[in-house]
Amino acid sequence: MALYFEDVQVGTQVTPLVKHPTTRQLVMWAGASRDFVEQHYDKDNAMDRGLPGVIVHGALKASWLGQLITDWIGTNGILKELKCRYRGIDYPGTEITCRGKVIKKYIEDGEHLIVCEIWTENSKGEQTTTGSATIALP
Amino acid sequence: MEILKLTSEDIAKLKTMVGRESEPYKVEADKSMFWQLAEAIGDTNPLWQDEITAKKTQYKGIIAPPAFYISFWMNPLANGKIILPITGRRGFDAEHEWKFNAPIHPGDVITVKSKIINVLEKQGKKSGLMAFCTYETTLTNQHGVKVAVELGIQVML
């Protein structure tokens, strides 16, 4: 599967990516990414901080937004830039949907570029991470 | 563990860090880092883990997933390589921005260098005094190519 510059227009939707994080997954992310901040796997610690339970790492959500784009563009496109702003907390046991939409399409220095607005959404439809991605396409 | 509130003295201390480069450190990228990150996020893209398929692409082999740049391997402020002059305060990441200039391949030795470029004091309605610390991290490979630049904002409160 390959995505080409001519295939996308401003307004084109990125194929959504749905995630169902578990505490087990948070532990896997903690180990693989070297993030051992306790609030992501130790419920007592999270509750001491006033949280109802362990929370999903912002960096994990950022990585899912990266995956949203790399899944969509295939191996011919190049992810040039990724921006994320962490706005809300997500919990394991909930559904998180990563979405995106093309907001700009242009050619610069011979490169065919698009910019997508990207975000993660909880089951209430609230955007918990927002950002953008700049992509070069063949 | 007692959590202390950020004071204006703390902010003054943080401001002394502005412009100072962190001690660079090296990370040798290897395939197992890539597939463990991919497994953790649930990402089966062959570019991060399947040498045979990845060889047939423009990259001519496995490359690091975005998660590698996002991870604490590459974040000296988060992984403790930069030691802030204050302790016991809560902090969280507010935003991140990565510019990917060139791929990272297994075996590449990445030099990670960081500096705090700005400390902004803000008064939160509920959270009280906060410091917004903006930092820039550069990743340079063994050939001297700047493979990525990250800009981040960490909030201390």
Side-chain angles (χ1 to χ4, degrees):
Chain A
M1 186 211 72
L3 186 73
Y4 291 92
F5 190 64
E6 62 196 43
D7 297 335
V8 301
Q9 304 303 332
V10 169
T12 300
Q13 306 273 325
V14 177
T15 309
L17 176 69
V18 181
K19 295 290 181 180
H20 297 98
T22 58
T23 306
R24 177 192 174 92
Q25 185 169 28
L26 302 190
V27 171
M28 287 170 75
W29 173 257
S33 76
R34 316 293 294 163
D35 179 348
F36 299 116
V37 176
E38 290 84 353
Q39 63 183 356
H40 302 295
Y41 54 85
D42 178 344
K43 193 173 179 180
D44 292 341
N45 179 284
M47 291 178 86
D48 279 350
R49 289 169 188 252
L51 295 163
V54 297
I55 63 170
V56 179
H57 303 77
L60 178 54
K61 293 188 272 183
S63 296
W64 285 333
L65 290 174
Q67 185 191 359
L68 169 79
I69 297 301
T70 54
D71 276 0
W72 184 56
I73 64 180
T75 55
N76 293 320
I78 300 173
L79 175 60
K80 311 272 291 179
E81 204 179 303
L82 183 68
K83 291 186 192 180
C84 293
R85 183 172 284 183
Y86 310 106
R87 298 160 52 116
I89 292 174
D90 286 290
Y91 301 95
T94 63
E95 182 173 275
I96 299 175
T97 307
C98 305
R99 296 183 191 278
K101 186 170 78 182
V102 179
I103 54 168
K104 193 175 167 192
K105 181 177 175 177
Y106 60 109
I107 298 171
E108 194 178 84
D109 300 327
E111 278 192 306
H112 294 69
L113 302 168
I114 58 167
V115 178
C116 296
E117 178 183 20
I118 52 178
W119 66 94
T120 65
E121 209 174 273
N122 65 18
S123 54
K124 292 180 198 147
E126 295 159 341
Q127 296 186 356
T128 56
T129 319
T130 57
S132 65
T134 305
I135 302 151
L137 289 176
Chain B
M1 179 192 63
E2 196 193 353
I3 298 171
L4 304 166
K5 274 302 297 169
L6 194 75
T7 64
S8 38
E9 288 77 42
D10 295 332
I11 293 181
K13 280 188 202 165
L14 286 171
K15 282 187 172 163
T16 65
M17 303 279 292
V18 172
R20 217 186 299 163
E21 289 251 323
S22 68
E23 192 63 40
Y25 67 95
K26 290 184 196 307
V27 176
E28 186 175 342
D30 83 53
K31 277 182 213 171
S32 69
M33 293 170 175
F34 302 170
W35 71 250
Q36 284 181 49
L37 287 161
E39 187 185 38
I41 72 174
D43 181 346
T44 56
N45 194 319
L47 281 179
W48 336 130
Q49 50 216 329
D50 174 358
E51 191 68 54
I52 294 165
T53 309
K55 267 219 164 79
K56 295 178 197 150
T57 70
Q58 60 179 324
Y59 300 107
K60 314 273 181 243
I62 285 176
I63 58 166
F68 186 59
Y69 303 79
I70 296 169
S71 76
F72 276 19
W73 288 107
M74 298 299 165
N75 189 337
L77 197 63
N79 67 20
K81 298 276 184 190
I82 293 184
I83 296 163
L84 291 176
I86 59 169
T87 53
R89 274 61 163 190
R90 287 187 304 148
F92 63 90
D93 288 318
E95 53 187 272
H96 276 136
E97 172 182 329
W98 296 269
K99 284 195 168 70
F100 308 106
N101 301 327
I104 296 176
H105 294 280
D108 282 354
V109 179
I110 308 299
T111 301
V112 186
K113 229 193 302 194
S114 202
K115 79 178 169 206
I116 294 176
I117 54 179
N118 190 29
V119 173
L120 194 68
E121 181 177 329
K122 284 195 186 178
Q123 186 72 40
K125 277 204 184 84
K126 278 190 242 161
S127 38
L129 206 54
M130 299 186 284
F132 282 63
C133 307
T134 306
Y135 59 94
E136 184 190 74
T137 302
T138 56
L139 312 184
T140 308
N141 71 13
Q142 69 277 20
H143 307 298
V145 176
K146 203 186 267 189
V147 293
V149 180
E150 182 206 333
L151 268 180
I153 299 180
Q154 195 181 69
V155 180
M156 309 289 297
L157 70 168

